[in-house]
Amino acid sequence: MAHYKKSRKGRPRVPTGGSTRGTTVIWGDYGLRMRDHDRRVSASQLKNGEDTIRKRLRGMKYRLYMRICANIGVYTSGNESRMGKGKGSFDYWASRVAVSKIIFELKGDVHEQVARDAFRLAGNKMPGLYEFVKRGDPPVMGITKLGEGVTAEELRRPRMKLPLEQTAARLPASA
């Protein structure tokens, strides 16, 4: 019998290196983007959001894409159990959603206001804050939207001078 390790709690990925991956609409025309800080969204919460969108768009021709998947097992033990005795038993599947990630995308013959309303209803059922995005909207680095004078290179450059650069600036130039 094989012995498998239970997954650890972990932390949501924070794109500190200047990544904009997963922040724009790729397959659809409209999308729902996480605006809040990183969250752990359970599979049942994702399913509730998806069902809400499908219920609002019933009878229309569309295709719904889910860009994240619940692939992390969450284990819990009882509330009044003593310390020790292991990690607990499997409880539910969850997904770590980073800030500014697209969760759902929608494509089809759907008016923008109807799609906006469907995503608003879904965002109310799920944890965190969400925003409506369209195809062609600028990517996001962290919580800063690129475009309109803000570039990725500008956000990646160091804000403060390094200590060595400060001392080199104070020294007189030798001939």
Side-chain angles (χ1 to χ4, degrees):
M1 186 172 116
H3 179 72
Y4 298 102
K5 278 179 88 172
K6 294 180 179 179
S7 59
R8 299 198 173 187
K9 185 181 231 175
R11 296 283 180 268
R13 186 182 66 81
V14 179
T16 56
S19 173
T20 59
R21 191 167 159 254
T23 62
T24 56
V25 177
I26 295 174
W27 300 310
D29 302 320
Y30 309 111
L32 184 69
R33 182 193 286 157
M34 164 87 60
R35 193 165 47 103
D36 208 359
H37 59 83
D38 309 289
R39 295 278 179 172
R40 189 165 76 180
V41 182
S42 71
S44 60
Q45 290 166 337
L46 280 173
K47 183 81 173 112
N48 285 345
E50 184 183 5
D51 291 345
T52 306
I53 294 170
R54 290 196 190 282
K55 185 182 266 190
R56 176 64 182 90
L57 301 177
R58 184 174 287 148
M60 300 180 190
K61 289 191 184 298
Y62 68 93
R63 173 106 190 243
L64 186 67
Y65 300 95
M66 196 185 306
R67 293 274 301 268
I68 61 171
C69 128
N71 57 356
I72 294 150
V74 177
Y75 298 82
T76 56
S77 54
N79 284 341
E80 296 182 2
S81 59
R82 294 191 172 190
M83 298 288 281
K85 303 281 189 287
K87 182 171 180 171
S89 57
F90 175 82
D91 198 13
Y92 60 91
W93 291 102
S95 171
R96 291 189 198 104
V97 185
V99 65
S100 301
K101 272 277 196 212
I102 298 282
I103 296 179
F104 294 113
E105 286 191 28
L106 183 69
K107 180 179 189 173
D109 298 332
V110 179
H111 193 273
E112 181 182 332
Q113 287 297 337
V114 177
R116 198 178 283 269
D117 186 47
F119 284 143
R120 178 188 60 80
L121 292 170
N124 290 341
K125 299 262 177 142
M126 298 193 315
L129 301 172
Y130 299 90
E131 66 179 339
F132 179 81
V133 291
K134 295 186 279 191
R135 180 188 282 275
D137 282 358
V140 178
M141 188 181 292
I143 56 170
T144 309
K145 291 186 171 118
L146 299 179
E148 299 168 11
V150 180
T151 62
E153 289 74 32
E154 186 179 305
L155 291 174
R156 284 193 190 112
R157 69 172 171 70
R159 305 286 187 276
M160 293 174 37
K161 285 191 173 182
L162 299 173
L164 188 62
E165 292 175 9
Q166 288 175 348
T167 55
R170 278 188 266 142
L171 291 175
S174 60

